[in-house]
Amino acid sequence: MMDWTDRHCRYFMRLLSPSVLLYTEMVTAQALKFGDAASLLRFDEREHPVALQLGGSDPSMMAEAAELGSGEGYDEININVGCPSDRVQSGQFGACLMAVPDVVADCVRAMKASVDVPVTIKTRIGIDNHDDYDFLRRFVDHSVDAGCDTFVVHARKAILEGLSPKENRTVPPLNYERVYRLKQDYPVLTIVLNGGVTTVDEVRSHLDHVDGVMIGRQAYHQPWFLTDLERTFGNGGAPRSRREVVELMLPYIERQLAEGAYLKHISRHMLGLFAGCPGARAWRRHLSENAHKRDAGVDVIEYALERLPEAA
């Protein structure tokens, strides 16, 4: 979810679901070491609980990055061993690390020695021709020995050459049974399933076999889905209407604009809020055509909201 689940997106999604655990977009340990760490790690206190997802393969650098994240207040540090993009592979992190489980284990050890918050792993069920259950189990064993007890498993293998990141989200077939088996064989571990989940009923079915379900693009493109999950599995704190969510966002948007943010960087995450409702197209069009303007303010959002049908 790089370039998607930034701090503005996460604040918006927190309004939709008070209970869900939010994850940052992947941030590389190298970027934190040599870049603007304060800006990369910035988040709003209302986002809690929120996990920082890190990319990297150097244990000492990953430990430093984890310490920075913990110091900023993140509730969990997650190691990305699932992203299949060429850019990620060239940096020696992401899904290609499944082939070197000892490296991942070394990162886990170093990070756990540096922070008190949980260190978890996001991974795939396999890579390229290494897609049998024994391969996944060996990878998990290394990290369990290093102290990791929580794995978020995308139920597709990653094909590192020949497929784009987008194709890697759809072309390799889903294999939920393999994730179920992992939980069955490691009952003391926390196993969270990811990949292709789009309905409340699917979530309910998966929870008969695993400890949790991670939702990615469905929550982004159909954000109101998070309120359905909140009402079904959460603490009952879902907002009453989409309009209420927009109204709750307005003070945040005003604060961010006053601090120098641009409206387009916030409103882009709200485009799908009215998906399936009367006026959804007009909502998206108005934001898309006006939020990018230099002087765009909350009035752009208010105008679009006022012209939605009452049924929206």
Side-chain angles (χ1 to χ4, degrees), residues 72-193:
E72 288 297 319
Y74 283 94
D75 302 289
E76 173 186 317
I77 310 296
N78 181 263
I79 307 173
N80 184 300
V81 192
C83 184
S85 76
D86 293 340
R87 181 160 57 117
V88 166
Q89 291 180 60
S90 65
Q92 284 301 296
F93 51 92
C96 64
L97 290 179
M98 287 196 78
V100 284
D102 54 326
V103 172
V104 179
D106 287 343
C107 289
V108 171
R109 289 189 187 91
M111 293 163 73
K112 285 185 69 67
S114 299
V115 300
D116 294 325
V117 297
V119 175
T120 66
I121 290 175
K122 171 77 159 59
T123 189
R124 295 272 183 146
I125 59 172
I127 51 173
D128 297 330
N129 294 325
H130 304 292
D131 64 345
D132 58 88
Y133 180 70
D134 286 342
F135 176 79
L136 174 61
R137 183 164 182 163
R138 284 193 298 273
F139 171 79
V140 168
D141 280 339
H142 276 73
S143 292
V144 169
D145 289 344
C148 182
D149 61 10
T150 300
F151 295 82
V152 181
V153 186
H154 187 152
R156 286 187 176 93
K157 72 173 182 179
I159 299 176
L160 301 180
E161 293 187 12
L163 290 185
S164 68
K166 181 179 180 180
E167 291 169 327
N168 261 297
R169 296 193 295 269
T170 55
V171 174
L174 287 160
N175 189 337
Y176 294 134
E177 294 296 329
R178 189 171 299 171
V179 185
Y180 297 166
R181 184 178 175 186
L182 193 65
K183 176 60 184 178
Q184 192 173 35
D185 290 349
Y186 297 84
V188 299
L189 297 182
T190 298
I191 303 297
V192 178
L193 180 144

Side-chain angles (χ1 to χ4, degrees), residues 187-295:
V188 299
L189 297 182
T190 298
I191 303 297
V192 178
L193 180 144
N194 172 236
V197 181
T198 61
T199 70
V200 169
D201 286 343
E202 289 171 352
V203 173
R204 184 182 289 108
S205 176
H206 290 311
L207 290 177
D208 289 336
H209 305 278
V210 295
D211 301 294
V213 176
M214 175 184 276
I215 308 293
R217 281 161 179 78
Q218 177 69 7
Y220 191 90
H221 293 303
Q222 304 276 344
W224 194 245
F225 177 54
L226 285 176
T227 67
D228 296 333
L229 294 175
E230 181 68 31
R231 292 188 184 96
T232 306
F233 306 106
N235 298 319
R240 292 165 295 181
S241 69
R242 292 169 171 85
R243 289 176 176 272
E244 180 184 0
V245 174
V246 177
E247 289 165 359
L248 290 171
M249 276 294 291
L250 292 179
Y252 173 82
I253 293 172
E254 288 183 318
R255 291 197 304 271
Q256 294 303 313
L257 295 181
E259 294 175 11
Y262 292 99
L263 181 63
K264 63 181 179 180
H265 294 152
I266 305 172
S267 62
R268 69 187 182 101
H269 303 302
M270 303 170 63
L271 293 176
L273 178 59
F274 291 92
C277 295
R281 182 176 298 177
W283 164 264
R284 292 194 306 270
R285 183 173 62 246
H286 185 77
L287 295 188
S288 298
E289 292 177 354
N290 294 281
H292 70 280
K293 295 177 180 178
R294 172 174 288 187
D295 60 346

